[in-house]
Amino acid sequence: ELRLPAHLTLVNVVGFPLREHFEHAFSRRCHRRLAPLGPNDGSLVLADVCALPGLLYPVWGADHYLQPKTDVRRLIGAILQYLDETLPPRRLDEILPPRRLDETPTPRRLDETPTRQARSC
C-alpha cells in the first residue's frame, strides 16, 4: 500500500478509455494485452489506479498518454486551479525540513539531453 506524507496531495490524472477510443495500433495492442486483467488505459489497470491514495481525475476517452485530442495545458490548468481553491494554504517551513544557516545547497546540473523512455507492453 502506497502511503504519502501528510503534507503531500497526490493527483492521479488517468485516461478512462473504451476500446474504440484508441487511435494508435500500439495503444490498441497494449490495451488488448491488459484486457484480461480488467478495464485499462493501455498501461495501467484502472482498478489499481482507483486504489491509489489522493485525488483521481479521470479523463474520459483518453489513453495512458492522454490521447486522443486532450488539451493537456487546459487540463493541468484546471487541476491546479481546483487545488488552489480547495487545499488549505501552507507555509514553507511546515513543508520543508529546517536548514542550518551555514549550510549551502549543492548546485546540480540538469542534463540537457532528453532521455528516451522505454515503451513496453
Side-chain angles (χ1 to χ4, degrees):
E1 178 180 314
L2 178 62
R3 293 185 185 199
L4 297 174
H7 67 278
L8 292 180
T9 300
L10 178 66
V11 179
N12 299 292
V13 179
V14 182
F16 271 61
L18 296 175
R19 186 181 338 229
E20 57 265 20
H21 292 133
F22 292 96
E23 291 186 350
H24 305 287
F26 177 77
S27 296
R28 285 192 298 272
R29 186 172 62 246
C30 292
H31 180 264
R32 192 171 44 251
R33 288 184 180 170
L34 287 176
L37 301 175
N40 67 83
D41 68 357
S43 294
L44 301 169
V45 176
L46 298 180
D48 294 341
V49 173
C50 291
L52 291 174
L55 304 173
L56 176 63
Y57 193 99
V59 182
W60 175 250
D63 67 10
H64 183 75
Y65 302 101
L66 299 180
Q67 299 292 321
K69 302 174 188 82
T70 302
D71 184 351
V72 176
R73 288 185 195 142
R74 187 170 165 203
L75 174 67
I76 298 302
I79 292 170
L80 291 175
Q81 180 178 351
Y82 169 78
L83 293 173
D84 183 51
E85 293 170 358
T86 58
L87 293 179
R90 295 208 173 120
R91 296 184 354 220
L92 280 178
D93 61 349
E94 294 174 332
I95 299 170
L96 299 175
R99 195 172 82 190
R100 295 184 3 219
L101 293 177
D102 61 346
E103 184 180 337
T104 56
T106 306
R108 290 198 266 167
R109 187 176 155 243
L110 296 176
D111 184 4
E112 295 179 3
T113 308
T115 58
R116 295 188 73 191
Q117 293 180 342
R119 298 175 89 184
S120 62
C121 277

